[in-house]
Each structure stands twice: as C-alpha cells, then as structure tokens.
Amino acid sequence: MSEITDFDALRRAMAENSEQPEGPARNARAEQLLAEAEKLDTPLAVIEALGHQLQVYNYSSEKDKMFVPFARLLRMWDEDPGDFDEYETHSLHWVFKWMTAGMLGQPHIPLASIEKWLGEMEHRYRLAGHSERAVRSAEFSVAAHVGDMARADRAYAAWLAAERDAMADCHACEMHSQGWWQAERGRDEEALRLWAPVLEGEYTCAHEPHAALASSLTSLLRLGRLEEARANHLRGFRLVRTMESMRGAFADHVEFCALTGNEARGLELLAERPAYFTDTGNPRSLMEFLSVVTLLMDRLTALGLADRQVPGPPGRGWTAGELAVHAREQALELAARFDARNGTPYVGEQTRARMDRRPLADRLPLGVRTARPAASSPVAPPPAAAPRPAEGDLPALLAEARELSENLRPHAVEAWAAVERAAEGVELDARTRAEIADHRAMDAGPGGVELFERAAVLYAEAGDPGEALAARARGAFLRALAGDGDAALTAVAEPYERVLGLYAEGGTGLRQTASVLMGRARILMRAVHQGGDGPPSPASVGDAEAAVREVLALVDGYGGDDVRLAARAAEARAMLGELAAHGGDAPEAVRRLDRATADFVAAGLPWFAVEYEAQSAALAQQLGDLAGAERALRAALEHGGPYLEPPGRAQLHLQLAEVLGATGRPEEAAEHALEAAHWADEAGGGPALGAWARHLLGGFLLRQGRWAEAAEVLESALPDLTAETHGDGAVVQTQWWLGDCLSELGEHHAAAERRLQAADIARHWPEQQDHATLAHLAAESLGQAGLPAEADRAYTRAGELWRSLDNVHGLVRSLRARAWLALRTGSGTDGARRLMADAVRECVAALARPTADAEARRRLTEELGHTHRQFGDLLARSSAEDAEDGSIQEAFEAALAQMALAMDAFGALGADGLHSRTAAELAAGWLEADLGRPADATARARAVLRAYADAAGDDETVRARRAEAEQMLQLMTEQET
C-alpha cells in the first residue's frame, strides 16, 4: 500500500478503493484514507475523503455509519462553502437523498427527525436553485414506508410533475422506484411497463437493472409470465450475488425460489451469504431478508422437512423448523420497532403478509441444478377418472384392479396392491390370489421369478392351465432381464411346447397362448439386444425373427376389441422394426416402428407407443430426417402424457431439444432442454443426464444472446460434466461457451480462466485447431482484464499454434494483437512496430506461395489490407508520446504510406473491398490534414464521395462514409479560407 504524500496520491488511492468489492475491507480503507487526508492540511482533500467514505458506506452493509461523515461535511459547508469545488458541492446536495433513505432504515431515528431532515433538504435545495423533484421523491419514500397512502399518492404525483434536474435520481433508479409503487398497489402490468426500459438495458446505473430485475419477479409470477420470471431471476441474481449492499434484492431472489417450488435453490442462495443473517448496519434490509427466510423455512416445514439442516446464522447448526421460528421472531421484532417509531402498524402488516405468501407455481424449472427437497412424487397425476374406491372396499377395489388389468391400463399394479392390503385376513379364492401374486411379481423386478411361479401354481389350482403357463413364461423373461439368457430359454421351453398343445386341443385360449409366445419372443429379442460389442449373430437374429413372426401369425387380425391381442400384434411389429434396425435397414425399421405405434394408438394404448416412437426418432435422425424425428418425439411426449416417469420424460425432451437445435430453432430447443434438465433432476438418478441437458440449454441460450442466463446454466452444468461420462469435448465446449458468455458480460478475468481451462484440455487432442482458437480467445480476455503480460504470452502461444497449423490468418491476428498490447502498455513503440511489420511479412509471404484457390487468395489479400490499415493506425498513435522535433511528422508520413498500401490491397478486391478501401482513404485524409496538407485531404474526401456516387442511400455504411467525407471537406474548406 503506497504512502499518501500529496492530494494526487490521495485521489488515486480513493479511485483504487472505489474499484474494490463492497464490504468492510473497502470501508476500513476509506477510513484510513480520511486520516491520511487530514494530514495534508487541504480542506478539499478532507471533503473528498469524507465524500468517498460516504459513498462506500452507502454501498455496503454499514449504512448506519453514513450519518457522522455527512454531518461533518455539512458543518464544513456551513462554515466555508468556498472550500468545496463544483463537483463536491453537487455531491453534498446529492447525498441528502441518501440520508433520508438511510434514516428510514434505522428504527432508532425518530420519525420527527426524519421529517425535520426532509424540510432541511427542501430548504437547502431551494437555496441552491434545484427542482423539488428529488424532495418529493424523498417525501414519497417516507409516506410509503409508514403506510400513509394518501400522502404517498400526492407526493408521487408531485414527484413526477416536478422538473428533472441535476439532483434527480438517474432514470433507471426513478423508474425502479415508480414501478415498485405500482406493484405495491397491485398494478403489476403498469409496474412492468415502467420497469421495461431498465430491464431491457436502456437505462442502467450501479444498482440497476439489478434491483429492478429482483423487484419484477413477484409481479411476473402473479401475471403468469413464468418464462420472463425465470430469465430475470437468472440474470438478476448473477448481478447481486457479489454486492453486499443489495441484501433487499437478494431477499427478492430467495422469495422467488420459495414461491416457485425451488426451495433447494433458495437454500443454496442462503448458504452463499451467511453474513446477511447478522449484518445489522441496515435493519430494514435485515427485516426484509429475515421475512423471506421465514417464508422459505415455512415452505420446507410444510413439505415435511422441518428437520432438514439448513444454512443459518453462524455459530450453530439449524434445522428448517428452528430457523423458521428464529427468523420470524427476529423479523417481527424489527417490524415492531419500525411501527413503534412510525406510529402505524403498516410495516408489521407488510412483514406478516410477506412471510405468509403462498406459492405461485408448483415448481418452475430454472435450468440450474437443484434437487427437489420434497418427498412427494414429481410426476403429474393421471387424467381425471371415476372416483377411486375406498381403501377398505374390497369388492370395489377388486373390480377396479381387474378392469385396469383387462384393458392394460396404467397403475394396474398399484390397484392390485390396494386389493392385497384390503384383503388382509380375508379368505380369497385361488384365482384372486393368483392375480395378486402375478401383479406383485410384475412390480418386484428380477426378484419376481418365485412370485410368478407361485402365481402359476394358483392359476392351475383355479383351473386355468394356459394362464399358469403364461405366468411361468413371464418368470422366464425376468431371468433374461437379469442377464441369464440361457436359463430363460430353458425355462420358457416347456411352457411354449405345452401351450401350443393345449391351444391345439382347445384347452386354453388365444390370449394365453399369445402371452407365452410373446414371452419367448421377448427372451430371444433380449439376446439380440445384448449380443455384445459387435453386431448380433445371424442365428440369434433369425431365431428372434421367427419367434416374433409366430406371434404375429397367431394374433394378427384377431384383435378386434380385444386390447390384449391388439397390443401383442403391435408389439410384434415393433420387434420386427427393431430387427430391421439391427440388420442396418433403417428406413424399413422406421416404417415398421411407425406402423406399430399407430396400432398402439388405435387400440387406445398410446403410452405403449412411446418407447418405439423414441426409437423411430433416433433412426430418423440417423437418416437425416429431422422433421420425422421431431414428429415422433412430439408424439411420444403426447402419448406418454402423465404416465411417463421422470427419466423417460427427460430423455424425450433432450432428444427433441437436439433435433430442434439442429433445425435452427434455439428458442424452442431451449424450452425442451430446460424441461429435460428439470425432469432429470426430478428423477434423482445422478447428474449425468441433467448435466448434458444443462450443457445443451446453455448453448441454446447463448445462441439467443441471453448471456447471463446461459452463464448461470453452464456454471451449474460444469461440476457434473466429466470426460468419462460425457466426453472431454463436452467439457471443453461448455468452458468455451461459458467463456464467451463471461466475455459478453464484461467478466474478462473469469472468461480468461474458462478459456485457459478449455485450452489446457484441448492441447492433448490430435487436432490443434480448437487449442489454438481457445488460446487466442484467452489472450483477448487477458488483455481486456488488464493483464497485458499474460495476454502477450497467450498470444505468443496462439501464434505458435497457428503457425504449426499453417493458419496465416490466426498467426497474423495474434501478431497484430501483440503489437497493440506493446503500444498500450508503453513497453516500446519499436517493439510494436516490429510485430506489426512481422504481420505484414507473413501476409506477403503467404500470397507469394502458388495456389489455385482464388477464394484463399482473396481472403489473404483482405487480411493484408487490414494489417496495413492497423499498421498505419498504430504508427499514428505511437507518435503521440514522441516529443522530439520532426518525429510526429515522420510517424504520420509512415502511417500515410501504410494507408496507401491498405487502399491498394482493398482496391484489388473490387466491390468486395469498397467499404474497407474508403475507410482507409478517409483515415489517410485525416493524416493529410494533420500534416498540414488540406488540398490532399480534400482530394481524398472527394474520392470517397465519387466512390459512392451511385450507391444506395439506405445503406448505413454508405451514409457514414459520405457523412465523414463531407465533414472533412467542410473542415478543409474552412482551413483554406
């Protein structure tokens, strides 16, 4: 830390401190700087140091410290206003507004004192000749805080009617406050209309659109504009995350999570800011924060998670139930202090209302990874049907279970489980006991073999030998599912032979026979699917196809109204489609699968079509039929409806997102990638699928220019993306995309880190194009982050890679970038000129090589033109630091020569190089003017106008070139006269 020896050093130190993150460290430094200023014996130094202290206090959690330095500043003003320069005079009056807002947030300051201060502000503004706009705005804040609605409305109207002047808050802050009032009054549409210019970036400031994005969340949720609410949460939280002074906006984001079923994300947010529980410098924002903490903890308690460990005040562990009680007590105690000060119950009423808000969405998917904390099923309920029988009504439960089984309806297994519970202690007939055992086996997975055998015994006892054989065939298929194909074939052999005999003798029906034959076909198909790393053997494919065709021969045409037989025929056709795919005949596979899915839908069993529609979509993608793939996936989502389990739903949305992305529809693709991420999280089966969905979602958001949202999603994806599961290409691409987002957001240091991490992985790849590109991008970010030495090293490395790839364009651009770095850092104009000359030589050498590729020569010529143009700009700018006589003219002459070479290169491109050539001509004209040659400058301006004599006037570049040329002509005419 350098010593403060004079006023300039103090100002530099204050400027450096202003750039530091908000917080106690910055505040402590401001206090040190005030002590240093007092040693300089310069009143203005003390005034500026006090102003700096006020600023950092205001933008921190220690707002209660503002009043002492301001009182001192005001006393100095009253004693000798001549000590204040114009800027500090403006600043002194400006921070009157901070004092009013700051006092409102401190319940120990009497309301009478605040009103007195408001009058003092009005008096001093009038003396200084300022509009009353800022005064009425401050009055509105006081009235709104205490709940005096009539006065607030009057002050609001007077605020808007008063003239805007230098004391008015910036447009962004005013619009935020005005929108907040409309939202408080229940006028959400009007609030969002007022916020729109801020949310869209038309008006910004240090705390906007941060605050407006946070304030907009509840209004958007109330209006059902969920997509906008999600986007504003992801954008806005990223902005307030590191800003200590924005606890109120932070609280709005926690509230949003509590109101949208994102309780787990709300907990993650609380964990990021433990100090927010204990910072007491701004009691008002502490009360707001504790209010939403209460809301979030009450939500967790309502979900049965009162005992869950949660982030809370440091020093001990907290459960959700404990923190709910603590936060409520603390928030209400603060509210009571405000109400006692204000003489109204308004703050307490608002605080209670906020703590008791109800969710506005069951769960709004955000795209970032958070696990659902609730134990309830995330799957949507089935469509409305007849009322379920009472739990103990055995006859009704039995009838329902048989009806569901008979018609292959979803939830038949659950219905039979209800029958079993209701039948406890009741003597049942063998048939019913067989059906219960059969359905228990279906629900038991690989462990259900013995239950199927038990069901077979009971079916036989009930006089249904065919169904007994079908149960044994189902048990045999379980063995195949467990990986023991040989045992499965052995187990199904006897039921298969026996059922054919029984059916021939009339001893069993078509259904039972078809069930056994289908069981055998499934086992043989399993052998095809699990044929090892290579393709299945012709023998296994032949056996499976014969078995499937046997099923189809038995049941095809016999379905009619029999759902079970129709399902067997459709499944057999789907199996033939799978076999065609294994045989490499994808078009035939798609045709057969589509026929099978149509049969399932026609039979009233659309949920059975989903699996095969997904297969058809994958094959269509392989064939390049993206429209067909899209149709199949949309049908699968529609047909699966509420019966799809989360993993399957996630997979379908993910496939559809990929297809839509490939057809150039990133907006719709992003919607499905978001759904995929959501359902992957609901599945709770690990991060692999969710990470890939977030990877895609981030890419689609990036393609739409939604940088902040994309960055949040990609950062959330990275911890779960692994080279082993997703491939190192996915990891590199995610880092790359994230670096692009961070660069667009101005977070250049972080962008450089991401690009360097990606480059470090890509350097091991056989193909080095990506490595070179990432190294170059990292260099750009390092330069923009103010790290010139690191940037130069990265550009040097990128240049070496471009050279190894024989990529002249990349090499030349890295040399040009290094030249500009050398000039800007003052490391030497000679070095900068050498690097730019090297770039020219590389272009010339590349053009000298023989090539038949006309397009390659055109691009190299264009690169040469840009290099000469930049060389000229660099030479002209390098002269500014030269103090020797004649050196400036020499540099300008050299720059002019480079501009002439640039014009020659662009001129060789004909019409393609017109705009670049005229830009170089105008740059040369300004150099001629600086060299004292107005006639030559005039000639160049006229040459540009002639070049565009026949050009359309609606072209923006043409208009800009003409305007600049005409400006040059006018200036040169004035000089000549």
Side-chain angles (χ1 to χ4, degrees), residues 721-745:
L721 280 172
T722 65
E724 294 76 19
T725 302
H726 306 94
D728 56 5
V731 178
V732 167
Q733 183 64 80
T734 304
Q735 296 273 25
W736 193 330
W737 281 338
L738 182 52
D740 291 347
C741 292
L742 295 170
S743 179
E744 292 289 342
L745 293 169

Side-chain angles (χ1 to χ4, degrees), residues 197-398:
V198 183
L199 298 176
E200 293 166 7
E202 182 179 348
Y203 297 113
T204 62
C205 69
H207 278 188
E208 295 295 351
H210 317 42
L213 285 164
S215 295
S216 72
L217 298 173
T218 302
S219 290
L220 288 167
L221 290 175
R222 286 195 293 244
L223 292 171
R225 292 160 62 172
L226 303 185
E227 171 63 26
E228 292 173 72
R230 170 176 45 244
N232 285 5
H233 168 64
L234 293 178
R235 284 177 59 204
F237 181 70
R238 187 172 192 85
L239 293 172
V240 304
R241 171 180 266 144
T242 61
M243 300 187 73
E244 184 193 63
S245 63
M246 300 202 72
R247 179 164 54 186
F250 189 98
D252 290 339
H253 287 281
V254 177
E255 179 182 48
F256 167 84
C257 293
L259 297 177
T260 58
N262 286 286
E263 296 86 1
R265 177 164 171 83
L267 294 177
E268 292 174 4
L269 268 56
L270 294 184
E272 291 192 22
R273 280 288 184 179
Y276 275 172
F277 286 97
T278 53
D279 287 342
T280 58
N282 187 354
R284 188 175 180 181
S285 76
L286 176 59
M287 177 185 68
E288 294 168 350
F289 176 73
L290 291 171
S291 297
V292 300
V293 170
T294 303
L295 172 65
L296 178 60
M297 296 306 126
D298 283 350
R299 284 291 306 138
L300 291 170
T301 301
L303 293 169
L305 298 166
D307 294 330
R308 176 170 178 154
Q309 294 293 311
V310 296
R316 55 159 287 188
W318 294 89
T319 66
E322 292 169 341
L323 186 55
V325 173
H326 171 80
R328 182 178 289 272
E329 288 176 351
Q330 294 292 309
L332 291 177
E333 189 275 331
L334 285 166
R337 289 172 58 195
F338 280 108
D339 284 344
R341 188 271 301 276
N342 299 339
T344 70
Y346 185 71
V347 173
E349 291 169 354
Q350 294 295 98
T351 301
R352 289 182 180 87
R354 190 171 197 183
M355 291 191 292
D356 295 339
R357 282 180 178 168
R358 308 307 306 158
L360 296 170
D362 175 56
R363 190 179 186 200
L364 175 61
L366 302 178
V368 293
R369 188 172 191 270
T370 49
R372 187 179 180 90
S376 58
S377 171
V379 183
R388 290 292 312 279
E391 185 67 21
D393 188 349
L394 181 57
L397 288 169
L398 187 57

